[in-house]
Amino acid sequence: MRSVQLIRVVCVVVALGLAACEAQSNDANLADGSTQTSSTSSTPVFEGTTDEWAAAMVDCMRAEGFDAHVDGTGYAIPNITGDARRLASEANSLCKQQVGVIPATPMDGEQLALHLGALLKTAECLRDEGYSVSEAPAEAVFIESYSSGDAWNPYTDIVRLDVTDTEWARLNEACPQP
């Protein structure tokens, strides 16, 4: 039986109740490409509501040939696997450049250092589980990229893989996302 997989980009709450946009996946939803492992301060910031951003991203992803629809605070693309997932990630990056990203609520340096520390622990756990995870940027680079809504997250590397829904759920239990 073939499972239905979705790409969903959502805004999630991070440490101290501050919002940041990132890709997430779970048993019903497979996310891809909302955050990139390299920071780009040239990514424009979307000026509007989260719902307006989701609608603009859906329009852009549809223009790129994907059957996207608004899903909660983000968008979803049903039944996407393999090469299509990689292409959707590339289209998502293009659309972020065209539409912009939703900026993260600023954290002070101490809060960001704590958040980066939690992400580093998650990256170590993912490596212990046998996954290759990109190295974290320097703290100053992380802080700059976080404020632009495009911060490093070790799960971005996992999202780009063709892991099963069961494996995704297992990883999230073993190596929780901060």
Side-chain angles (χ1 to χ4, degrees), residues 34-44 96-97 101 134-153 156 160:
S34 178
T35 55
Q36 302 298 312
T37 57
S38 61
S39 78
T40 55
S41 58
S42 64
T43 303
K96 280 182 16 182
Q97 287 297 320
V101 295
S134 61
E135 292 299 319
E139 187 173 308
V141 172
F142 177 79
I143 290 170
E144 180 183 333
S145 65
Y146 184 87
S147 66
S148 72
D150 201 25
W152 173 82
N153 184 320
T156 300
R160 292 186 178 123

Short mmCIF file of all heavy atoms in Angstrom, two decimals, residues 34-44 96-97 101 134-153 156 160:
data_model
loop_
_atom_site.label_atom_id
_atom_site.label_comp_id
_atom_site.label_asym_id
_atom_site.label_seq_id
_atom_site.Cartn_x
_atom_site.Cartn_y
_atom_site.Cartn_z
N SER A 34 11.86 24.57 3.23
CA SER A 34 11.55 25.88 3.74
C SER A 34 12.78 26.58 4.26
O SER A 34 12.92 27.78 4.11
CB SER A 34 10.50 25.79 4.85
OG SER A 34 10.24 27.06 5.36
N THR A 35 13.67 25.85 4.90
CA THR A 35 14.93 26.44 5.30
C THR A 35 16.04 25.80 4.51
O THR A 35 15.94 24.66 4.09
CB THR A 35 15.23 26.25 6.80
OG1 THR A 35 15.17 24.88 7.11
CG2 THR A 35 14.29 27.04 7.67
N GLN A 36 17.06 26.52 4.29
CA GLN A 36 18.21 26.01 3.56
C GLN A 36 19.38 25.91 4.52
O GLN A 36 19.43 26.63 5.51
CB GLN A 36 18.59 26.96 2.41
CG GLN A 36 17.47 27.18 1.42
CD GLN A 36 17.04 25.90 0.74
OE1 GLN A 36 17.87 25.16 0.25
NE2 GLN A 36 15.75 25.64 0.71
N THR A 37 20.36 25.06 4.21
CA THR A 37 21.49 24.90 5.11
C THR A 37 22.47 26.05 5.01
O THR A 37 23.28 26.27 5.87
CB THR A 37 22.22 23.57 4.85
OG1 THR A 37 22.61 23.54 3.48
CG2 THR A 37 21.34 22.41 5.19
N SER A 38 22.41 26.80 3.95
CA SER A 38 23.28 27.97 3.85
C SER A 38 22.44 29.22 3.98
O SER A 38 21.32 29.27 3.51
CB SER A 38 24.01 27.98 2.50
OG SER A 38 23.09 28.06 1.45
N SER A 39 22.97 30.21 4.63
CA SER A 39 22.18 31.42 4.82
C SER A 39 22.35 32.35 3.63
O SER A 39 23.39 32.41 3.02
CB SER A 39 22.60 32.14 6.11
OG SER A 39 23.79 32.84 5.91
N THR A 40 21.25 33.01 3.33
CA THR A 40 21.30 33.99 2.26
C THR A 40 20.59 35.24 2.76
O THR A 40 19.38 35.25 2.89
CB THR A 40 20.61 33.47 0.98
OG1 THR A 40 19.28 33.07 1.34
CG2 THR A 40 21.34 32.29 0.37
N SER A 41 21.34 36.25 3.06
CA SER A 41 20.73 37.47 3.57
C SER A 41 20.00 38.22 2.49
O SER A 41 19.29 39.17 2.76
CB SER A 41 21.79 38.35 4.23
OG SER A 41 22.80 38.67 3.29
N SER A 42 20.12 37.79 1.23
CA SER A 42 19.43 38.47 0.14
C SER A 42 18.00 37.98 -0.05
O SER A 42 17.29 38.50 -0.90
CB SER A 42 20.22 38.30 -1.16
OG SER A 42 20.26 36.93 -1.52
N THR A 43 17.57 36.97 0.70
CA THR A 43 16.20 36.50 0.59
C THR A 43 15.27 37.60 1.10
O THR A 43 15.42 38.05 2.22
CB THR A 43 15.98 35.21 1.41
OG1 THR A 43 16.90 34.22 0.96
CG2 THR A 43 14.56 34.69 1.24
N PRO A 44 14.31 38.02 0.28
CA PRO A 44 13.42 39.10 0.72
C PRO A 44 12.51 38.65 1.86
O PRO A 44 12.24 37.47 2.02
CB PRO A 44 12.61 39.42 -0.53
CG PRO A 44 12.66 38.19 -1.36
CD PRO A 44 13.98 37.53 -1.05
N LYS A 96 10.71 31.24 -2.58
CA LYS A 96 11.12 32.07 -1.44
C LYS A 96 11.80 33.33 -1.92
O LYS A 96 11.63 34.40 -1.34
CB LYS A 96 12.04 31.29 -0.51
CG LYS A 96 11.33 30.36 0.40
CD LYS A 96 12.21 29.60 1.37
CE LYS A 96 13.58 30.09 1.57
NZ LYS A 96 14.39 29.28 2.49
N GLN A 97 12.59 33.21 -3.00
CA GLN A 97 13.26 34.39 -3.55
C GLN A 97 12.24 35.35 -4.16
O GLN A 97 12.40 36.57 -4.10
CB GLN A 97 14.30 34.00 -4.59
CG GLN A 97 15.54 33.38 -4.01
CD GLN A 97 16.30 34.34 -3.11
OE1 GLN A 97 16.43 35.52 -3.39
NE2 GLN A 97 16.79 33.83 -1.99
N VAL A 101 10.32 35.42 2.67
CA VAL A 101 10.16 34.54 3.82
C VAL A 101 9.48 35.32 4.93
O VAL A 101 9.50 36.55 4.95
CB VAL A 101 11.52 34.00 4.33
CG1 VAL A 101 12.16 33.10 3.29
CG2 VAL A 101 12.46 35.12 4.73
N SER A 134 24.61 18.36 7.80
CA SER A 134 25.56 19.44 7.53
C SER A 134 26.05 20.06 8.84
O SER A 134 25.37 20.03 9.86
CB SER A 134 24.93 20.51 6.65
OG SER A 134 23.81 21.08 7.29
N GLU A 135 27.26 20.60 8.77
CA GLU A 135 27.83 21.27 9.93
C GLU A 135 27.09 22.58 10.18
O GLU A 135 26.67 23.26 9.25
CB GLU A 135 29.32 21.53 9.71
CG GLU A 135 30.16 20.28 9.68
CD GLU A 135 30.11 19.49 10.98
OE1 GLU A 135 30.14 20.10 12.07
OE2 GLU A 135 30.03 18.25 10.90
N ALA A 136 26.96 22.91 11.43
CA ALA A 136 26.32 24.17 11.80
C ALA A 136 27.22 25.33 11.39
O ALA A 136 28.45 25.21 11.41
CB ALA A 136 26.09 24.22 13.30
N PRO A 137 26.62 26.45 11.05
CA PRO A 137 27.43 27.63 10.77
C PRO A 137 28.00 28.20 12.07
O PRO A 137 27.57 27.82 13.16
CB PRO A 137 26.41 28.60 10.15
CG PRO A 137 25.11 28.21 10.78
CD PRO A 137 25.18 26.71 10.94
N ALA A 138 28.91 29.11 11.93
CA ALA A 138 29.42 29.82 13.11
C ALA A 138 28.25 30.54 13.79
O ALA A 138 27.25 30.88 13.15
CB ALA A 138 30.49 30.83 12.69
N GLU A 139 28.38 30.76 15.08
CA GLU A 139 27.29 31.37 15.83
C GLU A 139 26.84 32.70 15.22
O GLU A 139 25.64 32.96 15.09
CB GLU A 139 27.69 31.57 17.29
CG GLU A 139 26.54 32.04 18.16
CD GLU A 139 26.90 32.08 19.63
OE1 GLU A 139 27.40 31.07 20.16
OE2 GLU A 139 26.69 33.15 20.25
N ALA A 140 27.78 33.53 14.79
CA ALA A 140 27.42 34.83 14.21
C ALA A 140 26.62 34.65 12.91
O ALA A 140 25.66 35.39 12.66
CB ALA A 140 28.67 35.66 13.94
N VAL A 141 27.00 33.66 12.11
CA VAL A 141 26.28 33.38 10.86
C VAL A 141 24.89 32.85 11.19
O VAL A 141 23.90 33.24 10.56
CB VAL A 141 27.06 32.38 9.98
CG1 VAL A 141 26.25 31.94 8.78
CG2 VAL A 141 28.39 32.99 9.55
N PHE A 142 24.78 31.97 12.19
CA PHE A 142 23.48 31.45 12.61
C PHE A 142 22.58 32.59 13.05
O PHE A 142 21.41 32.66 12.67
CB PHE A 142 23.64 30.43 13.74
CG PHE A 142 22.32 29.92 14.26
CD1 PHE A 142 21.62 28.95 13.57
CD2 PHE A 142 21.79 30.43 15.44
CE1 PHE A 142 20.39 28.49 14.04
CE2 PHE A 142 20.57 29.98 15.91
CZ PHE A 142 19.87 29.00 15.21
N ILE A 143 23.11 33.49 13.86
CA ILE A 143 22.31 34.61 14.35
C ILE A 143 21.82 35.48 13.20
O ILE A 143 20.65 35.84 13.14
CB ILE A 143 23.12 35.43 15.39
CG1 ILE A 143 23.27 34.60 16.67
CG2 ILE A 143 22.46 36.78 15.67
CD1 ILE A 143 24.24 35.18 17.68
N GLU A 144 22.69 35.78 12.26
CA GLU A 144 22.29 36.59 11.10
C GLU A 144 21.23 35.86 10.27
O GLU A 144 20.24 36.46 9.87
CB GLU A 144 23.49 36.90 10.22
CG GLU A 144 23.12 37.74 9.01
CD GLU A 144 24.31 38.01 8.10
OE1 GLU A 144 25.45 38.01 8.59
OE2 GLU A 144 24.08 38.21 6.91
N SER A 145 21.43 34.58 10.03
CA SER A 145 20.47 33.83 9.20
C SER A 145 19.15 33.64 9.93
O SER A 145 18.09 33.63 9.31
CB SER A 145 21.06 32.49 8.76
OG SER A 145 21.28 31.64 9.87
N TYR A 146 19.18 33.51 11.25
CA TYR A 146 17.94 33.37 12.01
C TYR A 146 17.08 34.62 11.87
O TYR A 146 15.88 34.53 11.64
CB TYR A 146 18.23 33.10 13.50
CG TYR A 146 16.96 32.87 14.28
CD1 TYR A 146 16.41 31.59 14.37
CD2 TYR A 146 16.29 33.92 14.88
CE1 TYR A 146 15.22 31.38 15.04
CE2 TYR A 146 15.10 33.71 15.56
CZ TYR A 146 14.57 32.44 15.64
OH TYR A 146 13.39 32.24 16.29
N SER A 147 17.71 35.77 11.96
CA SER A 147 16.93 37.01 11.86
C SER A 147 16.33 37.21 10.48
O SER A 147 15.35 37.93 10.33
CB SER A 147 17.78 38.21 12.27
OG SER A 147 18.83 38.40 11.35
N SER A 148 16.87 36.54 9.47
CA SER A 148 16.29 36.64 8.13
C SER A 148 15.26 35.55 7.87
O SER A 148 14.66 35.49 6.80
CB SER A 148 17.40 36.55 7.06
OG SER A 148 17.90 35.23 6.98
N GLY A 149 15.04 34.66 8.86
CA GLY A 149 14.07 33.58 8.69
C GLY A 149 14.62 32.40 7.90
O GLY A 149 13.87 31.58 7.40
N ASP A 150 15.93 32.29 7.79
CA ASP A 150 16.55 31.27 6.95
C ASP A 150 17.68 30.57 7.70
O ASP A 150 18.76 30.37 7.15
CB ASP A 150 17.07 31.94 5.67
CG ASP A 150 17.26 30.97 4.53
OD1 ASP A 150 16.59 29.93 4.52
OD2 ASP A 150 18.09 31.26 3.66
N ALA A 151 17.44 30.19 8.94
CA ALA A 151 18.49 29.64 9.78
C ALA A 151 18.76 28.16 9.53
O ALA A 151 17.88 27.42 9.11
CB ALA A 151 18.13 29.85 11.26
N TRP A 152 19.97 27.74 9.86
CA TRP A 152 20.38 26.34 9.78
C TRP A 152 19.54 25.50 10.72
O TRP A 152 19.23 25.91 11.85
CB TRP A 152 21.86 26.22 10.15
CG TRP A 152 22.35 24.81 10.27
CD1 TRP A 152 22.73 24.00 9.24
CD2 TRP A 152 22.51 24.04 11.47
NE1 TRP A 152 23.12 22.77 9.73
CE2 TRP A 152 22.99 22.78 11.09
CE3 TRP A 152 22.28 24.31 12.81
CZ2 TRP A 152 23.26 21.77 12.01
CZ3 TRP A 152 22.55 23.32 13.73
CH2 TRP A 152 23.04 22.07 13.33
N ASN A 153 19.16 24.33 10.26
CA ASN A 153 18.45 23.36 11.08
C ASN A 153 18.87 21.98 10.59
O ASN A 153 18.80 21.71 9.40
CB ASN A 153 16.94 23.55 10.92
CG ASN A 153 16.13 22.63 11.81
OD1 ASN A 153 16.46 21.46 12.00
ND2 ASN A 153 15.06 23.17 12.37
N THR A 156 16.72 19.92 8.15
CA THR A 156 16.63 20.27 6.73
C THR A 156 17.30 19.20 5.88
O THR A 156 16.79 18.83 4.82
CB THR A 156 17.28 21.64 6.48
OG1 THR A 156 16.59 22.61 7.26
CG2 THR A 156 17.18 22.03 5.01
N ARG A 160 15.29 16.41 3.04
CA ARG A 160 15.66 16.23 1.63
C ARG A 160 15.85 14.76 1.24
O ARG A 160 15.98 14.44 0.07
CB ARG A 160 16.92 17.02 1.33
CG ARG A 160 16.68 18.50 1.41
CD ARG A 160 17.88 19.30 0.98
NE ARG A 160 17.55 20.70 1.02
CZ ARG A 160 18.21 21.59 1.73
NH1 ARG A 160 19.27 21.23 2.42
NH2 ARG A 160 17.85 22.85 1.72
#
